[in-house]
Amino acid sequence: MTVGLSVSTLNNPFFVILRDGAIEQAKVLDIDLVVMDAQNDPAKQMSDIEDLVQKKVDVILLNPTDADALVPAVEDANKAGIPLLTIDRSVNGGDVALHIASDNVKGGEMAGAYTVEQLGEKGIVVELEGITGASAARERGQGFDTYIAEFSGIKLAAKQTADFDRAKGMSVMENILQAQPKIDAVFAQNDEMALGAVQAIKAAKRQDEMFVVGFDAVPDALNAIKAGDMKATIAQQPWMMGVLGVMNGYLVVSGVELGIEFIPVPLKVITE
Amino acid sequence: MNKIALEFINISKSFPGVKALKKVSIKIKQAKVHAIVGENGAGKSTLMKIAVGELLRDTGTIKVFDREAQINSPSDGYHYGISLIHQEFSLVPTLDVVQNIFLGREITKGPLSFLDSNQMYKRTEEILDFLKMFHLDPHLKIEDLTIAQKQVVEIAKALSLNSKIIIMDEPSAALTLEETHRLFEVVRELKSRGVTTLFISHRIEEIFEIADEVSILRDGELILTKQVAQIDRKQVINNMVGRSLEFVFPPKAKQKKEAKVILEVKKITKERQFSDISFQLKEGEIIGLAGLVGSGRSEVALSLFGLNHLDKGEIFLQGKTVKINSPFEAIRNGLALLPEDRRELGLVIVRNVLENLTLPDLYWDIARKYFIDLKKEISLAKGVQKELAIRFASLSQKVESLSGGNQQKVVVGKWLLTKPKILIMDEPTRGIDVGAKLEIYNIVNTLAKKGIGIIFISSEFSEILGVAHRILVMSEGRITKELDPKSTKEEDILKFATRKKVS
Amino acid sequence: MKNLQYKDIIRRYGILIGLIGLIIAFSILSERFFTISNMLIVMRQTSIVAFLGIGMTFVILGAGIDLSVGSVLAFSGAVAAGVMQSRGIFLGILAGLAVGTALGAFSGLVITKLRIPAFIATLAMMAIARGGTLVYTDGRPVTGLPSSFAFLGRGYIGDIPFPIILMLVTFVLAYIILKLTRFGRYVYATGGNIDAARASGIKVDNIIISNFAISGFLSGLTGIVLSSRLNSAQPTAGMGYELDAIAAVVLGGTNLFGGEGELWGTLIGAFIMGILNNGLNMINVSSFYQQVVKGIVILIAVTVAQSGKK
Amino acid sequence: MKNLQYKDIIRRYGILIGLIGLIIAFSILSERFFTISNMLIVMRQTSIVAFLGIGMTFVILGAGIDLSVGSVLAFSGAVAAGVMQSRGIFLGILAGLAVGTALGAFSGLVITKLRIPAFIATLAMMAIARGGTLVYTDGRPVTGLPSSFAFLGRGYIGDIPFPIILMLVTFVLAYIILKLTRFGRYVYATGGNIDAARASGIKVDNIIISNFAISGFLSGLTGIVLSSRLNSAQPTAGMGYELDAIAAVVLGGTNLFGGEGELWGTLIGAFIMGILNNGLNMINVSSFYQQVVKGIVILIAVTVAQSGKK
Ligand SMILES: Nc1ncnc2c1ncn2[C@@H]1O[C@H](COP(=O)(O)OP(=O)(O)OP(=O)(O)O)[C@@H](O)[C@H]1O
Ligand SMILES: Nc1ncnc2c1ncn2[C@@H]1O[C@H](COP(=O)(O)OP(=O)(O)OP(=O)(O)O)[C@@H](O)[C@H]1O
Ligand SMILES: [Mg+2]
Ligand SMILES: [Mg+2]
């Protein structure tokens, strides 16, 4: 049996971990796994799915770059009679055998809630955005912004993009630090940017003034939290998503009735 | 009838560092051949480019057939029926002959007015036949042509416009006797049809052969305009250079009896270019390599200099056999090549005069140990500038902006600096003025006196006769005859230059 | 320096050899590769780069370069989708093409009138159009497009996917313009020697502006087709496509400095890249190694192409 | 098209005017912009593009182009970090520089010996080096670097961040090579007219190979500095930096077709982009509009630069 996994991007450790979970599980089940990297381009991902269909894989695990753009791809798979599961993000159409969810919007809210709580509902916040227009950035930002908007005491002093990139996270944070005399908290839409921000804050010797909250819980971030450089990150448990994806894909192909179309992978705020 | 076809009134033009034209006024009569002469940098080309609108005059007016003409952009010249044969060709290297000749006025057909390639090809063949110069395949790309061929295309293009006024900026520079004479027939033919011709050349004798009137420019000023009948060669030259100058070939350097052979080539051959070329060059000897366009002289030169590989044959330097696979090795072995197309192989036109002059010498002298000895570099550059009387505003002026002749002098200068033992000169006097020509002849002699062996390629047989100790005539890639200048006339050379079989 | 024509011929057929070699190699490595259905898929995937590449060929032949195609694509796609929602497919498509053409022409104007190097002008346009897209879409995909719009990117005529047909039609038209019209001739001349072209009375500025307008128009078309394929206009669509498009042109043997090159070389260049992406997926090379392999294969393909030259 | 000298001068100082205008504008918009501390920050950020730009200047002056700098940067950084973990800082740095130089030289060899256009050769290298990085790092950041390694990217000499000093030193050395040595002259000549350069006895192939080796070496250096700044080597480091580097060079007035240009123009070009990023962050322009603004500002800056020409 061959399982096809189309990942939105492997330029982010988060998805690399997701992939590794899948690979691990495939080994356990002793089945073939084909991984394709869409490099954050919906068009490329659509092509990848087409190629997977051509290869006649038995099941497709899709980690969509975008909820709408991949609908046609899903439909292609349906036409070819290849079962398809979505991981991390959902698609707004087509028949999806199973959705292994971990809601970005929800995660954004949690980050917001944690930040607000830590600040005692009062303080100046800075947000580092991911690639503008990318769905992860959109949803995480949306969750965070709408949540903190509730609190009059919280001021979003600066919101700038750093493309999910650590180096940019650092330089953008450097610039914001120059502009903002007082900052209480930083929310970065992924850990890479958060870790970059940490470097900038340390360099400016302002680590005692503010704390940093990230997203994804990649190993570096967890270490940073242990070291006290970061305050928290939102864990989406990519490894588990990978594992669950392959496992359920296997079941579907083996004709097992899942009975559910949705497995929520719990998000949690990691603070130590 | 002598209507005024073209009139320049108080034309002035200056470039940074030079006033190229100072209030120049000339009347050009219809159906006459009007020659413009002057030293390199006198302003001839500038004036001509202004006439067709490729350069914008600072002040002054242009009249065409007594009406003031608004010539401000390159296309204007064409609209007023004036076409220019550029000195530095204005062709598109990546297009072929036909495409260049009809560029901007393509023949089209059909309701969608698609290009009519066949028609244009036919017309091209007609024009080339009318020119009756050497054969030239209309489908060749310009970048694959020899300079002579490019010149012919440039001429054909201008003629194909059927202009009332045709300006020829040194059209003969890249042509051999044969083609030049053919060109003159064409000019006369046009004249009989009422076409007016402006003719620029540094070969004074040509002026007297073809022109009715002559205007002399010096340092951007009009010195005089006269009927050719009322002026002689000496006056022309003296007015050009502004002093009295006798144009006679300097006495040739005496050759030492015990002079030994420094270069010997044995039966060198390059497929489809030349074959079985053998000759010896002694130190202090000047060999004249004569021939017609396409006879293979340049290809031989390129091969000796390591720019073309040889298919057969050997080269000996000071008796030792050598393989020359790159110009670097050639230079190390004391060779220098003055290429025939200065813009292709001679100059880096976007760089300045200084850098161009010293480029080949950096490695051997000026920058022996990686770093450039700027003092030395500048003094050497100033040295050759004086020696060759090269005219430019400053050493940091781009070569691009030098007059054609001065560009040529820069190429000569850059090789003199390398103090070669063997100097190959491919059309060295192409496009340079009489004064400079004499300077070149003198240089050739002084170098020969110093024991340097010189291969002097020229399409001007008079020049070959005046300069060389020994003449080798090439035809269709073979040496057809060795001649002794003392007992030779130009016709003899031509005879062997057109001879098909080896004698 | 001599007989370039011969060189040209080799250059042209050379790259074709590269393409064929690639196809043979993949056919051996995967029996699923050289099937009609897969070849059609490859062609459909290729069409995107092909559209952009065709426009880019005009620009590069004219000694320019257009880095903005990816962003212009996104902007046109977004506008088309936006207009479509309210005013219907036809006006939507029209609007998209108009935006693309206008942005391209604007780049051309900046380059010719302000005398700004094409690289800088289109780099700026790249940023402006991308930003414009984000502003217009508020960073969200534009969805809810009329279902019949799907035909453009996902429809078939007989068994042939419509984008393929569109690609061929575009190619033929572009080829006619480039080879049979004065304009085409002037494009080559302008790129080959702009001074000589000007001296021949060609309005070189207009040629350059038109080139960029064409590139913009085709970017717009690509954006619309892509929106149809993805059933939505993505604000991030086309990121990095400029390099693919330029690569297709240069792989096709067109001189990056202008004046020399053939349109169909571009098509082959686009195919080489499409085949590579598809083929490597088919023989499932791990995604990390894919890039390495891709790079090496490109080098080999071009070397084969060049080798003939000597 | 004529009197280029004058043009040159304007071109040079023109872009400087653009830079100054930009600084003034931002100073008005944010009082915290034109402060020593912020200017030092900007310079430190700029150093990254500056290193790459300096290498790119050699390549472009020689009529080449190097799209691989970003990937080579990442690969070198990763190798340096990897080696460092086991064998210490010194060997790590050495390894990084060696990798960068080797990859650059390899591109040069491919271009000169296989006669493959620089654009294609370095596009391939871009993919190969990126893939290599991903394979080498398995897509994860390389961390746990010796603490003293931090100095390179985060250290100070007096109040001056070390990267700035490194940038100035690099610039001075590069300037000397380009202006005072034979090699520098050969670079200009090769880019200006390769045939004439060869006919003047220059071994043009070696010049081109050296140019790419220099670019590779500086990419390696950048990768190392970046790793030090981020206290880790990122597999995705330097993505898209090739455009920034080329933009810096062209903004600086260097002719993309080779032969003409000045090194310090590149430095100014890099600063313009650094200032733009910093300034727009400082005045907190929404990330949607930021790109639009960036594009427009670049156009204005260059227009100011060119305007003098007429
Ligand atoms: N674009 C330019 N920029 C600066 N100076 C220039 C430019 N073009 C010509 N000049 C200068 O103007 C003067 C006249 O040049 P022009 O080409 O008209 O001379 P010419 O009479 O044609 O000489 P030749 O017989 O060598 O062709 C020269 O000093 C030349 O250096
Ligand atoms: N008129 C021509 N017609 C066809 N081929 C030519 C012509 N002129 C030159 N060639 C090509 O160049 C080769 C030799 O030309 P080359 O330039 O060496 O001759 P040349 O004696 O130097 O004449 P010139 O330098 O005056 O053009 C020929 O064998 C041919 O391949
Ligand atoms: Mg002249
Ligand atoms: Mg010759």
Side-chain angles (χ1 to χ4, degrees):
Chain A
M1 170 192 311
T2 316
V3 178
L5 170 61
S6 167
V7 190
S8 58
T9 175
L10 287 175
N11 288 341
N12 175 344
F14 176 82
F15 296 101
V16 176
I17 297 167
L18 187 152
R19 176 201 65 174
D20 294 349
I23 291 175
E24 202 54 41
Q25 185 60 26
K27 279 213 200 75
V28 174
L29 298 172
D30 182 30
I31 54 178
D32 301 336
L33 179 74
V34 187
V35 185
M36 291 184 182
D37 173 6
Q39 290 158 14
N40 272 322
D41 178 356
K44 166 115 170 51
Q45 189 160 38
M46 178 145 188
S47 303
D48 290 343
I49 302 294
E50 286 174 343
D51 295 346
L52 285 173
V53 171
Q54 280 300 306
K55 288 170 69 73
K56 303 205 166 41
V57 294
D58 301 284
V59 58
I60 294 174
L61 309 181
L62 173 61
N63 159 235
T65 47
D66 183 88
D68 301 286
L70 272 302
V71 174
V74 175
E75 287 164 350
D76 284 359
N78 297 153
K79 266 203 228 75
I82 299 174
L84 181 142
L85 289 67
T86 51
I87 305 178
D88 181 31
R89 289 171 214 150
S90 60
V91 287
N92 304 337
D95 308 336
V96 175
L98 179 72
H99 176 49
I100 296 162
S102 133
D103 186 344
N104 274 314
V105 181
K106 186 88 181 43
E109 285 168 10
M110 289 168 73
Y114 178 79
T115 310
V116 169
E117 175 209 330
Q118 290 298 313
L119 292 174
E121 306 197 357
K122 193 174 177 320
I124 299 167
V125 181
V126 165
E127 181 176 2
L128 296 181
E129 306 172 272
I131 296 167
T132 4
S135 72
R138 210 159 52 226
E139 294 158 6
R140 294 171 183 185
Q142 181 190 341
F144 183 84
D145 298 351
T146 40
Y147 187 92
I148 63 168
E150 308 288 312
F151 302 86
S152 53
I154 303 289
K155 175 166 174 290
L156 185 56
K159 185 176 185 222
Q160 295 282 295
T161 181
D163 298 341
F164 283 136
D165 176 74
R166 197 182 291 199
K168 287 215 180 73
M170 174 175 58
S171 45
V172 170
M173 191 62 206
E174 282 174 344
N175 299 339
I176 293 174
L177 284 166
Q178 286 297 314
Q180 304 297 335
K182 178 95 182 64
I183 302 174
D184 299 308
V186 179
F187 169 56
Q189 290 176 358
N190 81 346
D191 285 337
E192 291 300 317
M193 295 188 291
L195 290 159
V198 166
Q199 295 300 342
I201 295 165
K202 277 176 150 180
K205 307 208 170 43
R206 288 172 68 174
Q207 53 266 56
D208 304 334
E209 173 188 329
M210 68 196 77
F211 64 84
V212 178
V213 177
F215 206 114
D216 287 348
V218 299
D220 282 7
L222 299 178
N223 298 337
I225 291 174
K226 283 196 188 65
D229 294 337
M230 273 174 66
K231 187 110 179 163
T233 183
I234 309 301
Q236 282 185 301
Q237 313 185 49
W239 179 277
M240 187 191 284
M241 283 194 251
V243 172
L244 288 175
V246 173
M247 208 162 65
N248 291 284
Y250 180 78
L251 294 177
V252 171
V253 177
S254 334
V256 179
E257 262 307 326
L258 296 177
I260 45 167
E261 67 277 351
F262 172 67
I263 304 177
V265 177
L267 291 151
K268 50 184 200 298
V269 182
I270 295 180
T271 53
E272 76 285 321
Chain B
M1 63 126 194
N2 45 16
K3 294 228 312 280
I4 303 301
L6 179 64
E7 180 172 10
F8 299 102
I9 303 166
N10 292 328
I11 303 287
S12 294
K13 172 77 179 176
S14 47
F15 295 106
V18 271
K19 281 196 111 299
L21 293 172
K22 304 167 195 157
K23 294 193 164 303
V24 172
S25 304
I26 306 177
K27 287 193 170 76
I28 286 110
K29 302 203 186 74
Q30 190 193 4
K32 296 266 184 253
V33 178
H34 193 119
I36 311 272
V37 298
E39 290 181 291
N40 298 131
K44 305 183 292 294
S45 297
T46 305
L47 185 62
M48 298 309 137
K49 286 186 190 145
I50 286 172
V52 292
E54 280 174 37
L55 282 177
L56 205 51
R57 58 199 182 277
D58 297 341
T59 63
T61 47
I62 300 173
K63 284 189 175 174
V64 179
F65 290 108
D66 293 332
R67 249 190 266 93
E68 177 159 355
Q70 300 308 324
I71 297 180
N72 306 317
S73 84
S75 46
D76 295 343
Y78 173 53
H79 293 313
Y80 282 94
I82 309 172
S83 56
L84 168 63
I85 296 172
H86 298 79
Q87 177 182 20
E88 307 298 337
F89 309 137
S90 170
L91 302 167
V92 181
T94 49
L95 293 182
D96 69 22
V97 175
V98 181
Q99 292 167 335
N100 267 280
I101 286 180
F102 283 92
L103 192 57
R105 335 163 264 113
E106 289 74 7
I107 300 173
T108 58
K109 61 163 185 281
L112 296 169
S113 70
F114 284 154
L115 296 173
D116 187 344
S117 302
N118 299 337
Q119 195 56 29
M120 288 189 274
Y121 181 87
K122 282 232 295 301
R123 295 272 289 102
T124 304
E125 291 268 286
E126 285 165 24
I127 296 160
L128 291 173
D129 292 348
F130 168 68
L131 279 176
K132 283 211 214 61
M133 302 204 179
F134 44 72
H135 163 75
L136 201 166
D137 173 359
H139 285 314
L140 283 177
K141 276 192 179 183
I142 298 302
E143 62 191 353
D144 300 337
L145 301 184
T146 62
I147 186 161
Q149 294 168 296
K150 288 179 192 160
Q151 180 68 71
V152 171
V153 176
E154 184 72 40
I155 294 170
K157 182 177 178 186
L159 294 184
S160 71
L161 291 161
N162 305 319
S163 310
K164 295 197 272 354
I165 303 170
I166 297 181
I167 302 172
M168 304 185 168
D169 194 348
E170 301 193 29
S172 56
L175 297 177
T176 51
L177 274 176
E178 224 187 4
E179 290 88 30
T180 308
H181 286 306
R182 180 55 205 152
L183 176 65
F184 288 169
E185 288 172 35
V186 171
V187 169
R188 294 195 187 92
E189 210 159 325
L190 293 169
K191 186 173 158 184
S192 65
R193 296 187 206 161
V195 175
T196 311
T197 307
L198 274 80
F199 182 81
I200 298 177
S201 174
H202 288 293
R203 298 181 187 162
I204 309 303
E205 64 279 6
E206 294 178 355
I207 307 302
F208 289 89
E209 182 175 349
I210 189 71
D212 306 300
E213 288 191 296
V214 58
S215 293
I216 301 178
L217 286 180
R218 191 197 315 150
D219 298 332
E221 282 178 276
L222 178 72
I223 302 303
L224 59 78
T225 301
K226 258 198 161 73
Q227 296 289 329
V228 169
Q230 299 160 4
I231 192 169
D232 68 22
R233 192 184 151 77
K234 195 165 181 328
Q235 287 169 289
V236 171
I237 293 173
N238 293 348
N239 279 294
M240 269 174 62
V241 297
R243 64 196 141 85
S244 119
L245 176 86
E246 195 59 42
F247 187 85
V248 289
F249 290 96
K252 295 175 189 174
K254 291 266 164 306
Q255 279 188 275
K256 300 197 219 62
K257 289 279 148 297
E258 70 285 4
K260 51 181 169 0
V261 175
I262 45 177
L263 169 71
E264 173 163 24
V265 290
K266 281 201 185 132
K267 292 192 162 306
I268 57 170
T269 296
K270 185 169 188 296
E271 302 304 338
R272 291 194 315 288
Q273 304 291 341
F274 57 81
S275 46
D276 297 334
I277 304 291
S278 308
F279 63 86
Q280 291 189 338
L281 176 68
K282 294 212 181 69
E283 57 184 3
E285 182 181 32
I286 304 167
I287 291 183
L289 201 51
L292 301 180
V293 171
S295 52
R297 299 160 301 166
S298 295
E299 297 292 335
V300 170
L302 293 176
S303 302
L304 289 176
F305 198 63
L307 279 162
N308 276 345
H309 78 92
L310 288 171
D311 296 317
K312 281 208 237 66
E314 296 171 289
I315 302 175
F316 299 86
L317 288 163
Q318 273 88 5
K320 290 186 293 318
T321 171
V322 288
K323 284 254 160 296
I324 297 176
N325 298 321
S326 74
F328 178 81
E329 291 167 32
I331 296 169
R332 169 192 286 139
N333 285 302
L335 276 88
L337 168 66
L338 195 85
E340 75 176 325
D341 186 340
R342 54 178 170 256
R343 294 187 146 233
E344 188 185 333
L345 288 179
L347 297 166
V348 185
I349 58 167
V350 295
R351 303 308 301 173
N352 66 34
V353 177
L354 179 68
E355 290 180 26
N356 273 280
L357 275 175
T358 58
L359 194 57
D361 197 35
L362 287 174
Y363 179 88
W364 308 100
D365 184 12
I366 297 164
R368 209 70 204 81
K369 321 198 143 14
Y370 305 111
F371 282 93
I372 298 170
D373 179 343
L374 288 165
K375 268 209 210 57
K376 187 172 191 177
E377 179 179 34
I378 290 171
S379 69
L380 283 174
K382 292 231 168 89
V384 279
Q385 176 189 2
K386 213 179 272 91
E387 192 174 351
L388 300 179
I390 312 176
R391 268 204 225 169
F392 45 76
S394 88
L395 279 171
S396 60
Q397 182 179 358
K398 285 216 174 120
V399 167
E400 203 165 29
S401 65
L402 291 190
S403 79
N406 282 303
Q407 287 180 5
Q408 183 71 3
K409 289 186 189 174
V410 170
V411 188
V412 178
K414 91 178 204 179
W415 287 115
L416 288 190
L417 283 179
T418 63
K419 307 185 201 59
K421 289 208 265 336
I422 299 166
L423 176 57
I424 307 167
M425 305 173 110
D426 194 349
E427 316 278 5
T429 60
R430 165 169 296 159
I432 68 176
D433 61 49
V434 278
K437 269 185 191 160
L438 284 179
E439 286 153 19
I440 297 255
Y441 301 149
N442 287 318
I443 290 158
V444 167
N445 276 308
T446 13
L447 293 177
K449 284 204 192 72
K450 288 195 199 135
I452 295 168
I454 294 164
I455 299 173
F456 192 97
I457 301 174
S458 174
S459 304
E460 268 186 79
F461 296 162
S462 57
E463 180 176 80
I464 292 249
L465 288 168
V467 173
H469 291 121
R470 193 150 63 92
I471 299 173
L472 299 177
V473 187
M474 278 185 73
S475 171
E476 299 192 328
R478 296 173 173 277
I479 294 182
T480 48
K481 184 74 177 167
E482 172 170 344
L483 293 167
D484 177 353
K486 296 194 201 62
S487 57
T488 308
K489 289 193 291 323
E490 293 192 23
E491 307 79 82
D492 308 332
I493 300 180
L494 188 59
K495 187 162 95 246
F496 292 103
T498 49
R499 153 109 36 118
K500 301 296 168 216
K501 286 269 132 291
V502 186
S503 59
Chain C
M1 182 166 29
K2 292 263 146 64
N3 62 353
L4 272 157
Q5 308 207 293
Y6 167 63
K7 250 182 174 171
D8 278 2
I9 293 169
I10 297 299
R11 178 191 284 145
R12 296 178 193 172
Y13 298 110
I15 196 63
L16 195 54
I17 299 168
L19 175 63
I20 294 166
L22 210 53
I23 293 177
I24 294 173
F26 279 126
S27 309
I28 295 167
L29 292 167
S30 149
E31 74 288 350
R32 287 256 171 67
F33 173 78
F34 198 62
T35 60
I36 290 176
S37 67
N38 191 50
M39 284 301 114
L40 287 176
I41 293 230
V42 173
M43 288 203 218
R44 186 168 62 189
Q45 291 171 5
T46 304
S47 63
I48 299 298
V49 177
F51 289 129
L52 298 177
I54 290 170
M56 190 68 75
T57 309
F58 280 82
V59 171
I60 291 181
L61 280 177
I65 190 155
D66 188 352
L67 300 175
S68 69
V69 289
S71 312
V72 171
L73 170 166
F75 202 178
S76 317
V79 171
V83 173
M84 207 169 288
Q85 287 170 327
S86 50
R87 294 205 170 52
I89 296 181
F90 181 71
L91 283 178
I93 293 178
L94 227 59
L97 295 176
V99 169
T101 315
L103 292 178
F106 180 80
S107 297
L109 278 167
V110 170
I111 291 161
T112 50
K113 303 309 173 194
L114 301 183
R115 303 232 218 88
I116 293 179
F119 188 93
I120 296 294
T122 56
L123 189 74
M125 178 52 77
M126 180 181 182
I128 294 171
R130 181 65 60 188
T133 314
L134 292 166
V135 174
Y136 181 84
T137 61
D138 190 25
R140 296 196 196 75
V142 184
T143 57
L145 309 180
S147 55
S148 54
F149 176 57
F151 177 78
L152 214 58
R154 281 173 279 153
Y156 289 79
I157 291 183
D159 294 347
I160 313 294
F162 185 67
I164 299 181
I165 294 175
L166 201 57
M167 169 175 73
L168 295 179
V169 172
T170 314
F171 174 78
V172 171
L173 289 178
Y175 189 87
I176 290 173
I177 294 176
L178 209 47
K179 286 291 167 188
L180 302 182
T181 71
R182 286 190 165 176
F183 173 76
R185 182 63 51 82
Y186 294 171
V187 171
Y188 278 98
T190 305
N193 178 352
I194 192 164
D195 294 334
R198 199 182 283 109
S200 302
I202 297 172
K203 304 228 171 355
V204 289
D205 283 6
N206 300 356
I207 303 300
I208 292 170
I209 295 169
S210 315
N211 285 341
F212 281 91
I214 292 173
S215 176
F217 173 85
L218 286 173
S219 305
L221 181 65
T222 317
I224 293 166
V225 173
L226 205 55
S227 308
S228 166
R229 286 206 72 198
L230 301 175
N231 186 31
S232 65
Q234 297 291 322
T236 58
M239 276 193 179
Y241 284 21
E242 59 280 353
L243 278 189
D244 294 351
I246 300 170
V249 175
V250 183
L251 265 176
T254 295
N255 181 341
L256 197 52
F257 294 169
E260 295 179 282
E262 297 301 327
L263 196 57
W264 63 275
T266 301
L267 211 53
I268 295 176
F271 272 113
I272 288 189
M273 292 193 297
I275 295 257
L276 254 177
N277 291 324
N278 171 271
L280 292 176
N281 280 346
M282 297 302 276
I283 63 176
N284 52 37
V285 177
S286 110
S287 49
F288 284 176
Y289 284 94
Q290 267 199 24
Q291 306 213 44
V292 183
V293 179
K294 211 180 275 183
I296 294 171
V297 173
I298 288 182
L299 286 186
I300 295 172
V302 183
T303 311
V304 172
Q306 305 288 65
S307 61
K309 285 190 188 178
K310 292 160 215 133
Chain D
M1 112 203 81
K2 292 278 137 133
N3 61 349
L4 277 152
Q5 305 199 293
Y6 169 62
K7 248 184 175 171
D8 276 5
I9 294 169
I10 297 300
R11 177 191 283 146
R12 295 177 193 173
Y13 297 109
I15 195 63
L16 195 54
I17 299 168
L19 176 63
I20 294 166
L22 208 54
I23 293 176
I24 295 173
F26 277 125
S27 310
I28 295 166
L29 292 167
S30 151
E31 74 286 350
R32 296 170 135 275
F33 173 79
F34 199 63
T35 59
I36 290 175
S37 69
N38 191 47
M39 285 303 114
L40 286 177
I41 295 264
V42 173
M43 288 203 220
R44 186 167 61 187
Q45 290 173 5
T46 304
S47 63
I48 299 300
V49 178
F51 288 129
L52 298 178
I54 290 171
M56 191 66 76
T57 309
F58 280 81
V59 171
I60 291 182
L61 281 177
I65 191 156
D66 188 352
L67 300 176
S68 69
V69 290
S71 311
V72 171
L73 171 167
F75 202 0
S76 317
V79 171
V83 174
M84 205 169 288
Q85 289 169 325
S86 50
R87 294 205 170 53
I89 297 179
F90 181 72
L91 283 179
I93 294 179
L94 226 57
L97 294 176
V99 169
T101 315
L103 293 180
F106 180 78
S107 298
L109 277 167
V110 170
I111 292 161
T112 51
K113 303 309 173 195
L114 301 184
R115 305 233 217 86
I116 293 179
F119 187 93
I120 296 295
T122 57
L123 189 76
M125 177 54 76
M126 179 182 184
I128 295 170
R130 180 65 61 189
T133 314
L134 291 169
V135 173
Y136 182 85
T137 61
D138 189 25
R140 293 189 187 69
V142 185
T143 54
L145 309 180
S147 55
S148 54
F149 176 56
F151 177 78
L152 215 56
R154 283 172 280 155
Y156 289 80
I157 290 182
D159 295 346
I160 313 296
F162 185 67
I164 298 181
I165 296 182
L166 201 56
M167 169 175 71
L168 296 178
V169 173
T170 314
F171 174 77
V172 171
L173 289 179
Y175 189 87
I176 290 174
I177 294 176
L178 210 47
K179 287 293 167 185
L180 301 183
T181 72
R182 199 167 68 212
F183 173 76
R185 279 292 174 78
Y186 289 176
V187 172
Y188 278 105
T190 305
N193 178 352
I194 191 164
D195 294 330
R198 195 182 290 108
S200 300
I202 298 173
K203 303 208 178 86
V204 289
D205 283 5
N206 299 356
I207 302 301
I208 291 169
I209 294 168
S210 314
N211 284 341
F212 281 90
I214 291 173
S215 177
F217 173 85
L218 287 173
S219 305
L221 181 65
T222 317
I224 293 165
V225 172
L226 204 55
S227 308
S228 165
R229 290 210 66 196
L230 297 171
N231 188 29
S232 66
Q234 299 293 313
T236 60
M239 279 201 171
Y241 284 21
E242 60 279 352
L243 279 189
D244 294 351
I246 300 170
V249 175
V250 183
L251 267 176
T254 294
N255 181 343
L256 198 52
F257 294 169
E260 299 175 276
E262 297 301 328
L263 195 57
W264 64 275
T266 301
L267 210 54
I268 294 177
F271 271 114
I272 288 189
M273 292 192 295
I275 296 262
L276 253 177
N277 291 323
N278 171 272
L280 291 175
N281 284 151
M282 300 273 297
I283 59 177
N284 193 31
V285 176
S286 123
S287 44
F288 285 1
Y289 287 94
Q290 216 165 89
Q291 306 216 46
V292 183
V293 178
K294 214 182 264 183
I296 293 171
V297 173
I298 289 182
L299 285 186
I300 295 173
V302 184
T303 311
V304 171
Q306 306 289 63
S307 61
K309 283 190 188 177
K310 299 162 211 127

